[in-house]
Amino acid sequence: MTLLLAVAAGALIGLSLGALGGGGSILAVPVLVYLLDQSASQATTGSLVVVGVTSLIGAIAAHRAGNVLLGHGLVFGLVAIGGAVAGAEASIRVPEDILLAAFAALMLLVGGMLAWRQLRHRRVDDPRHVARPTLDDPIITFSPTFACQCPRALKVLLTATVVGALTGFLGVGGGFLVVPALLLALALPMEYAAGTSLVVITITSAAALAVRAGSGAAPDWTSVAALTATSAAAAVAGARLADRVGTNRLQAAFAVLVLGVAVYTAARAVPALL
């Protein structure tokens, strides 16, 4: 039964990763905790394997398609290792209830961002609405005029450290944060940012996993392996699904799913802190 749950959950994670280009890995920790009966520390460690392997496969596919700037990804990823190591070290010392509460807060944030994006797109698509550029528009936010004027090296250091710390502490890929970071810090074209982000996530996940190796309780590697293999395979099907089903519909469904899991996680984690 445990393996069947791992396979089903892995398929869901892979489909969302393949169809939406990210986000699915944030479901790995709740799946490992509440469906596969892992502790928070075990789940965040196992999640790094799911995230790292799936990102590596995705990065290889994106590189073959010519959508990866490998040098930029390697530089950003290597700089992010410091944050990943610090985040992984911190997660080992944080009580598991706090770890789950922090993860629930992250899921609520991501779900809220996805829901806001959907509402914003619907408003823009409404023929009665005349879209006007705002400071929230990504084209303006990441343009040289509005971007931070600090040296690029400092921007890379700050954004990469934050991205790495998030991956190391909570065991998530952080693709929702890596792509904007690459746009801001390295001024990458959007068509390369998503593929290059997979290189960054692979590096930071490997660094965080190396720190966690041998510390704390090891996850159930059989369940993690089943989750990882199914997720990687389903990612291919997810990419094909995106061609047949509107991306907006998929994003809306995923936003509802993330918010639902976030509320459930918070309901389980917060009372334990009180």
Side-chain angles (χ1 to χ4, degrees):
M1 179 61 69
T2 299
L3 287 177
L4 288 176
L5 288 173
V7 169
L12 180 61
I13 293 171
L15 284 173
S16 60
L17 282 169
L20 302 176
S25 59
I26 201 172
L27 299 174
V29 170
V31 164
L32 288 167
V33 172
Y34 299 117
L35 290 183
L36 303 180
D37 199 26
Q38 305 286 291
S39 67
S41 60
Q42 288 177 310
T44 49
T45 299
S47 176
L48 289 171
V49 177
V50 179
V51 171
V53 172
T54 306
S55 296
L56 175 60
I57 293 174
I60 293 173
H63 181 63
R64 290 177 176 174
N67 295 326
V68 173
L69 296 177
L70 186 58
H72 291 70
L74 289 175
V75 169
F76 195 93
L78 291 174
V79 175
I81 286 179
V85 170
E89 289 283 1
S91 70
I92 297 172
R93 294 168 171 77
V94 171
E96 294 195 350
D97 292 334
I98 294 179
L99 200 60
L100 282 178
F103 195 89
L106 175 66
M107 292 192 74
L108 287 171
L109 174 63
V110 174
M113 290 171 58
L114 291 171
W116 174 83
R117 184 183 301 172
Q118 287 300 306
L119 293 174
R120 184 169 177 270
H121 279 311
R122 288 184 180 181
R123 185 166 177 251
V124 170
D125 293 338
D126 190 336
R128 297 171 296 178
H129 172 73
V130 179
R132 295 181 180 179
T134 67
L135 290 179
D136 292 330
D137 191 294
I139 297 176
I140 293 180
T141 302
F142 299 113
S143 68
T145 303
F146 290 93
C148 175
Q149 297 302 315
C150 55
R152 176 171 294 186
L154 180 59
K155 288 192 288 186
V156 171
L157 177 61
L158 292 176
T159 55
T161 300
V162 171
V163 166
L166 182 67
T167 301
F169 187 68
L170 294 176
V172 298
F176 65 95
L177 183 60
V178 178
V179 172
L182 291 173
L183 292 169
L184 176 62
L186 296 179
L188 296 189
M190 187 62 200
E191 60 267 26
Y192 294 109
T196 304
S197 72
L198 294 173
V199 177
V200 177
I201 294 170
T202 301
I203 294 173
T204 54
S205 297
L209 187 61
V211 172
R212 292 185 181 221
S215 61
D220 180 356
W221 291 115
T222 302
S223 299
V224 170
L227 189 68
T228 303
T230 309
S231 174
V236 178
R240 296 176 180 175
L241 180 65
D243 294 332
R244 299 182 180 182
V245 182
T247 303
N248 286 338
R249 291 184 180 181
L250 292 173
Q251 288 179 340
F254 184 71
V256 172
L257 176 63
V258 170
L259 285 172
V261 175
V263 171
Y264 179 81
T265 303
R268 293 286 298 270
V270 173
L273 296 175
L274 303 178

